[in-house]
Amino acid sequence: MNDAAKLYDLWLEKTADNEEIHSELLAIKGSDEEILDRFYRNLEFGTAGLRGVLGAGTNRMNTYTVCQATQGLADYLNSKYEGASVAIGYDSRINSDVFSKQCAEVLAANGIKAYIFPRLMPTPLLSFAVMRLKCNSGIVITASHNPSKYNGYKCYDPAGYQMTDEAAMETYSFIQKVDMFEDVKRIPFDEATEKGLIEYIPDSLAEEFYSQVMQRPINPEVIGGSDIKIIYTPLNGTGNIPVRTVLSRAGFKNVSVVPEQEMPDGKFPTCPYPNPEIRQVFECALKMTESEKADLLLATDPDCDRVGIAVLSGGEYVLLSGNDVGVLLAEYMLSARKAKGTLPENPVMTKSFVSTPLFDRVAAKYGCKVVDVLTGFKYVGEFISKLQKEGGENRFVMGFEESYGYLIGTHARDKDAVAASLMICEMTAYYKSKGKTLVDVLNDIYAEFGNYANRLYNFAFEGASGMVKMAEIMSDTRKNPPKELAGLRVLKVHDFEAGFVTDCETGEKTAIELPKSNVLAYSLPDGNFAIVRPSGTEPKIKVYITGCGKTAQGAAELAESLGGAMKKLLKIN
């Protein structure tokens, strides 16, 4: 009997009192493939915490895997602190509220004070709560933009950003020692609340968060006189109240909400993949424009840490990429703050290294330094905390990653779609007052710096065999670097796992000043590049492309050619 079959039998025995989990296990009895997929591994706990499909098994999100992780976190915290405390938040996903209460019960039973939001809240508000309540960690139950069958569990550093590598590895070492059926301590939620071990976070903390966000506007006078029409969708997630609150307080009077996507619903009935990167999430909003034209369509993902937009231009709605919006925000915020005299001395912004280099060129125009960080907003949060310790927190303007994540200001240490939505709407109103759309402004930037076409390709590899295949692809590609891509000579190979850059002409190796990560990047002539990495949260390999050209068409065609070359290199059919 293999290990998966043994685990399956153990779970059948141990879950007899859990009707839902036990029934699910009985339903797959005799199905070797189903049993293998659920038990071939434990959900890995990394810097993104846990993320997986809901259901029974060690490779699933369920009460046992969530409580095992929380017991491990409690053991880790108790080994480092006396009188530790943890803030807990959750989104609209299936079982998010249930898992969050179970986390609180485990923490309380281990003598750790648990502060929990009384209702679903955006991820950035959890980051804010960790800092405001001076907690030693934070937990948010969310799977961000994944389909409804997923849920996840993210852990935070005391500074308010997601755990980085060292802390996550140490926590994982504690989790691995926990027998999920024997070692997990629990105390009933109501009993723990009565004893003061669990405390609801008051609404006043959300008010403090809103107050911080309301300090972000640069040209508030433009908002009051603006007639821009906004259609907003929270995609059945947590953004509905927070985003509408800050837009209303800022003075935006013409905001409509997509009714089918307004209320929390973890099944996401109108958008099976609630990801603001894809046009499908805007379909309901686009139907609304048939009777009421809007200047801007705005969508936040279920935990409201990412935001996507579509802009009315030439009678059609143009969906802007995360890179597009990052560049537009950089241009607007730097130019507006310079004009207002509020741009700090030695300003600095951050971006993930897979994001567009056009961001750097716009920043340089205003004397703003850009610091590249690895993918994962925890590295942006870590950078802000470092600035704060050096007394330079006020230098920070914004952080950005191409996957629609932005942090405007330093009130949080994670990406924040509440503040970003407010700044995007202000930016739209400002440029409309000048007779321009965001598409017009982006074209102005291209006219100044050249055209940049950015593409992201996702290749899915499901199940146990998929994980093996992904590892094989990365290993083979690392051993056999390309000499050219789409007819362009590869100038440098960046191997972030090995920790060095190789000059393809001289063979000279230079150290990479970033933490090691399973990423390969290829520098090409004229600012073109390609990057490949496995996703840290989904069973996917991601390929990032930037194609540069004198015309938009030329840049787009080159980007498509580079995408095809990378697919061939990775031997993906």
Side-chain angles (χ1 to χ4, degrees):
M1 184 184 288
N2 61 35
D3 290 342
K6 288 179 182 177
L7 280 170
Y8 172 74
D9 287 343
L10 176 67
W11 273 60
L12 267 180
E13 175 191 342
K14 296 290 188 180
T15 64
D17 61 346
N18 186 320
E19 184 179 350
E20 182 180 357
I21 293 290
H22 195 70
S23 297
E24 188 177 329
L25 290 170
L26 287 172
I28 63 168
K29 195 174 184 67
S31 175
D32 293 344
E33 188 175 341
E34 276 281 355
I35 290 170
L36 177 64
D37 187 48
R38 292 163 184 268
F39 291 100
Y40 81 92
R41 66 166 189 163
N42 292 336
L43 280 182
E44 286 188 21
F45 183 94
T47 55
L50 302 173
R51 190 172 298 188
V53 174
L54 290 157
T58 58
N59 187 35
R60 292 288 188 270
M61 283 289 295
N62 53 64
T63 182
Y64 302 103
T65 52
V66 165
C67 289
Q68 179 192 39
T70 309
Q71 181 63 53
L73 175 65
D75 293 340
Y76 164 73
L77 293 173
N78 281 332
S79 75
K80 293 182 70 73
Y81 308 103
E82 284 192 18
S85 62
V86 176
I88 304 171
Y90 60 95
D91 69 2
S92 62
R93 287 181 175 273
I94 297 167
N95 284 344
S96 283
D97 55 343
V98 174
F99 292 157
S100 67
K101 286 192 171 184
Q102 291 172 345
C103 290
E105 291 174 346
V106 173
L107 292 169
N110 284 274
I112 295 172
K113 179 68 172 282
Y115 295 96
I116 187 169
F117 280 106
R119 64 189 68 85
L120 75 176
M121 287 289 180
T123 286
L125 223 163
L126 185 278
S127 171
F128 179 78
V130 170
M131 294 187 291
R132 175 66 182 79
L133 298 173
K134 295 181 170 58
C135 292
N136 302 99
S137 186
I139 298 169
V140 62
I141 306 296
T142 178
S144 188
H145 57 281
N146 287 71
S148 63
K149 66 180 181 179
Y150 284 84
N151 212 327
Y153 177 110
K154 296 198 292 191
C155 275
Y156 282 72
D157 182 274
Y161 49 82
Q162 285 183 57
M163 279 184 175
T164 49
D165 301 341
E166 186 177 346
M169 287 179 65
E170 195 173 346
T171 302
Y172 186 44
S173 71
F174 279 95
I175 294 171
Q176 289 176 304
K177 297 172 187 173
V178 175
D179 183 318
M180 65 178 66
F181 296 117
E182 303 294 337
D183 298 339
V184 175
K185 301 173 186 174
R186 293 259 302 264
I187 182 172
F189 190 90
D190 291 342
E191 181 184 336
T193 303
E194 288 175 10
K195 291 181 177 179
L197 292 168
I198 296 174
E199 183 179 321
Y200 280 113
I201 296 171
D203 291 341
S204 58
L205 190 135
E207 278 299 321
E208 288 185 46
F209 175 82
Y210 295 147
S211 295
Q212 289 289 318
V213 172
M214 294 312 299
Q215 295 176 29
R216 302 284 83 85
I218 304 168
N219 289 304
E221 68 281 358
V222 172
I223 298 172
S226 175
D227 64 349
I228 75 161
K229 168 69 177 172
I230 301 161
I231 294 178
Y232 168 58
T233 170
L235 299 179
N236 302 113
T238 61
N240 186 33
I241 292 173
V243 171
R244 293 170 72 178
T245 295
V246 298
L247 292 183
S248 174
R249 292 184 184 181
F252 290 103
K253 300 179 179 64
N254 205 350
V255 180
S256 297
V257 179
V258 176
E260 305 96 318
Q261 298 171 336
E262 178 179 2
M263 303 310 293
D265 187 341
K267 294 179 181 178
F268 310 118
T270 60
C271 51
Y273 198 72
N275 184 347
E277 295 182 36
I278 53 180
R279 190 175 183 87
Q280 190 265 339
V281 303
F282 289 99
E283 285 182 0
C284 293
L286 287 167
K287 285 180 183 176
M288 289 177 65
T289 66
E290 293 172 5
S291 58
E292 49 174 336
K293 285 294 182 186
D295 299 283
L296 180 70
L297 309 184
L298 190 73
T300 54
D301 68 342
D303 67 324
C304 198
D305 64 349
R306 307 192 318 149
V307 56
I309 64 173
V311 178
L312 182 62
S313 177
E316 296 184 353
Y317 285 93
V318 179
L319 182 62
L320 298 186
S321 72
N323 279 314
D324 294 336
V325 175
V327 167
L328 285 165
L329 284 169
E331 170 63 33
Y332 173 67
M333 292 182 65
L334 291 170
S335 63
R337 291 188 65 176
K338 184 177 180 179
K340 289 273 187 175
T342 61
L343 192 63
E345 190 175 345
N346 300 318
V348 62
M349 302 193 295
T350 60
K351 81 176 201 315
S352 61
F353 73 101
V354 298
S355 301
T356 179
L358 182 56
F359 185 83
D360 304 60
R361 298 193 67 186
V362 169
K365 181 172 70 169
Y366 297 98
C368 181
K369 180 181 179 182
V370 174
V371 174
D372 279 355
V373 296
L374 287 178
T375 303
F377 228 82
K378 54 188 169 285
Y379 298 111
V380 177
E382 189 177 39
F383 176 77
I384 296 172
S385 292
K386 182 183 176 184
L387 272 182
Q388 187 178 32
K389 289 174 184 175
E390 296 169 352
E393 183 181 0
N394 68 321
R395 292 175 54 206
F396 184 79
V397 179
M398 70 172 283
F400 148 64
E401 63 181 13
E402 53 74 40
S403 56
Y404 293 62
Y406 317 95
L407 177 58
I408 313 297
T410 60
H411 59 284
R413 294 291 189 274
D414 208 340
K415 48 189 177 287
D416 177 8
V418 181
S421 294
L422 177 57
M423 186 57 67
I424 288 167
C425 292
E426 178 191 329
M427 175 171 68
T428 304
Y430 175 82
Y431 286 123
K432 186 175 183 181
S433 74
K434 305 295 182 185
K436 292 185 176 184
T437 69
L438 295 185
V439 173
D440 295 330
V441 179
L442 194 58
N443 286 333
D444 290 344
I445 293 171
Y446 287 150
E448 184 174 359
F449 296 108
N451 288 271
Y452 286 68
N454 303 288
R455 299 287 185 271
L456 171 61
Y457 298 89
N458 289 290
F459 303 106
F461 297 86
E462 297 288 349
S465 60
M467 297 297 290
V468 173
K469 183 65 175 175
M470 286 170 61
E472 288 175 352
I473 288 172
M474 292 303 296
S475 177
D476 290 346
T477 308
R478 183 167 274 111
K479 291 174 185 174
N480 301 289
K483 294 182 179 179
E484 62 89 25
L485 291 169
L488 297 179
R489 186 164 51 93
V490 176
L491 303 177
K492 293 181 179 180
V493 175
H494 308 247
D495 188 335
F496 288 80
E497 188 169 78
F500 55 75
V501 181
T502 302
D503 186 304
C504 296
E505 187 172 335
T506 65
E508 182 182 352
K509 295 184 186 298
T510 307
I512 295 175
E513 301 299 326
L514 286 172
K516 292 189 176 182
S517 183
N518 189 13
V519 179
L520 293 167
Y522 308 106
S523 294
L524 306 166
D526 303 319
N528 298 286
F529 70 79
I531 297 173
V532 57
R533 74 176 185 92
S535 170
T537 57
E538 300 171 270
K540 291 180 178 180
I541 282 181
K542 295 191 168 191
V543 174
Y544 305 82
I545 300 292
T546 288
C548 304
K550 293 181 180 178
T551 65
Q553 182 178 347
E557 289 174 354
L558 179 55
E560 296 294 334
S561 296
L562 287 170
M566 285 299 294
K567 190 174 178 181
K568 184 177 179 182
L569 173 70
L570 301 175
K571 299 182 177 66
I572 295 174
N573 296 325

